[in-house]
Amino acid sequence: MTLLTVSRSAADRRPRTARLAALGAALLLTAGLSSTAGASPTRSHLPDPAAAARSVESDAEATTVLAVSIDGLNPNALTRLGRAGTPNLHRIMDEGASTLNARTEVELTVTLPNHTGMVTGRRITARTGGHGVIWNDDRKRPATVQAASGRPVESVFTVVNRAGGRPALFASKTKFLLWKRSWPLALKDTVIEERNGVLVTELIADLAQERSFRMLHLSLPDVAGHKHGFMGPRYLAAVRRVDRLVGRVLRAVDRSPALSQGLALLVTADHGGKGARHSVATSVANYRIPFLVRGPGVPAGSDLYELNPTYADPGRRQPSYAAARQPVRNGMLANLSLDLLGLPPVPGSEHDAGQDLEVTPPVAP
């Protein structure tokens, strides 16, 4: 059964737990996964993952998507630490398509507004069609994203659920309970646990279930940045630790041939950061983030901007939403995930609403 686990303090080793719901049986788009709910993944390894990816047709669809947001991950940390310090995140870049020069939402560079953009595909400002979530705490009013926006707002979770799937959320901050209040039918399976290692253990256990979409939120870099300064030694140590957690997930995927062949992995961040804070939305250190994609048909070692000439590498700028050629943004996570699953975009969304962000080369005529 799926638990909603809320750990109020990272130091509290006895989080309060409430049982929510039993997992469903067969879900959408998981034909290649284990046919028995709760069964352990087969423990075997694929040959060279890059070669395997190249052997898949370029229009192949994923059977399941795992979207990972690493809270407060400044892409300069990956450059600074290199492959030796962050081998698992570099492995994803080596085996897929990526950029270390993606962008946040324009309006704010803080956690909850940007994450809500990731799952709705919307900008932030409500009066121009955004989701309206401008706060970054556990407040209960407005109670839902819809109340903040003043209009109906759907998400990647509702689209997957409506198509017959049962999405899941694994988050390390209690503020994400906003999403469960906003989309309660779609987010029946939610785990909130501030201890990132425990959260990853929960996620890995869930990989045995037949499920088409999961989202994992990891907070270690952001927590360290706020306590000790972004891009400082303790922050970089936290990035190393979160890389090891990503490595645990990759090893779990490697043990299952079905997941190795059918899982698409997306990794991005809600903001960067440098020094004491990350809230100045006009600072490049705050709005520059990574965006990594690995999965069926994604060419190994490719650059997202080279794959997408209609999108523009912004250099050090933060283009407005009116710019003719947009950068890759974290808000594209929802519709790219749905595109990889062969599902339509989130209704009313803006970021990648045409699902034209390409992560596979075009099929040769």
Side-chain angles (χ1 to χ4, degrees):
M1 291 190 179
T2 298
L3 303 180
L4 173 62
T5 304
V6 181
S7 179
R8 296 296 178 184
S9 168
D12 180 6
R13 312 309 292 180
R14 296 172 297 170
R16 287 181 289 177
T17 306
R19 193 172 301 274
L20 286 183
L23 291 172
L27 301 179
L28 179 72
L29 298 170
T30 50
L33 300 178
S34 168
S35 61
T36 303
S40 299
T42 304
R43 294 181 176 271
S44 63
H45 290 271
L46 274 178
D48 175 21
R54 285 191 294 269
S55 70
V56 179
E57 292 185 7
S58 61
D59 61 347
E61 290 179 355
T63 57
T64 184
V65 170
L66 172 59
V68 180
S69 173
I70 302 179
D71 201 318
L73 180 58
N74 185 328
N76 286 345
L78 302 182
T79 304
R80 180 89 58 87
L81 293 169
R83 282 180 173 77
T86 51
N88 298 293
L89 290 168
H90 274 82
R91 174 187 167 185
I92 296 168
M93 290 189 280
D94 291 342
E95 296 176 0
S98 64
T99 178
L100 297 183
N101 201 30
R103 290 293 181 265
T104 64
E105 301 271 48
V106 172
E107 302 98 320
L108 295 167
T109 51
V110 291
T111 297
L112 194 58
N114 268 268
H115 278 93
T116 305
M118 290 183 205
V119 299
T120 64
R122 291 177 183 260
R123 66 178 70 187
I124 295 172
T125 304
R127 68 176 182 274
T128 54
H131 55 68
V133 177
I134 59 174
W135 66 93
N136 193 36
D137 52 37
D138 285 293
R139 71 185 65 182
K140 301 299 190 297
R141 293 289 182 271
T144 64
V145 175
Q146 293 84 350
S149 179
R151 61 175 62 82
V153 178
E154 293 205 42
S155 67
V156 60
F157 308 115
T158 60
V159 175
V160 170
N161 181 70
R162 186 163 53 247
R166 192 165 185 176
L169 171 66
F170 298 81
S172 55
K173 290 183 177 179
T174 55
K175 64 186 72 177
F176 287 100
L177 287 171
L178 169 69
W179 294 356
K180 186 166 179 60
R181 295 195 302 270
S182 302
W183 305 295
L185 296 179
L187 272 180
K188 292 180 179 179
D189 297 327
T190 297
V191 177
I192 294 183
E193 169 57 69
E194 291 182 346
R195 294 170 293 172
N196 283 211
V198 175
L199 187 67
V200 168
T201 298
E202 295 268 10
L203 171 81
I204 290 172
D206 190 74
L207 290 176
Q209 303 293 333
E210 295 184 348
R211 195 185 297 281
S212 52
F213 181 80
R214 298 171 179 86
M215 186 167 185
L216 171 65
H217 165 263
L218 298 172
S219 62
L220 286 176
D222 185 66
V223 171
H226 283 291
K227 286 184 177 179
H228 309 292
F230 289 84
M231 293 304 296
R234 294 189 183 185
Y235 170 86
L236 294 174
V239 174
R240 288 177 182 266
R241 289 196 300 274
V242 86
D243 182 83
R244 290 195 291 270
L245 294 178
V246 171
R248 287 180 56 194
V249 175
L250 290 176
R251 288 190 294 275
V253 171
D254 287 343
R255 288 193 292 268
S256 167
L259 289 174
S260 295
Q261 295 175 32
L263 182 139
L265 176 63
L266 281 65
V267 180
T268 190
D270 52 345
H271 57 78
K274 185 177 181 181
R277 57 181 182 162
H278 57 74
S279 59
V280 178
T282 56
S283 168
V284 64
N286 299 335
Y287 60 63
R288 181 166 55 200
I289 54 168
F291 200 107
L292 323 176
V293 186
R294 190 192 79 156
V298 181
S302 56
D303 181 275
L304 274 175
Y305 287 110
E306 291 180 0
L307 287 174
N308 290 276
T310 59
Y311 288 84
D313 187 324
R316 293 179 59 84
R317 297 175 296 106
Q318 169 66 298
S320 74
Y321 297 129
R325 295 174 66 208
Q326 286 290 300
V328 175
R329 293 194 189 276
N330 56 11
M332 296 176 177
L333 181 145
N335 285 331
L336 176 58
S337 296
L338 293 169
D339 192 21
L340 290 168
L341 290 169
L343 295 175
V346 179
S349 62
E350 172 181 9
H351 303 309
D352 193 27
Q355 295 183 317
D356 58 358
L357 181 67
E358 299 293 342
V359 296
T360 60
V363 179

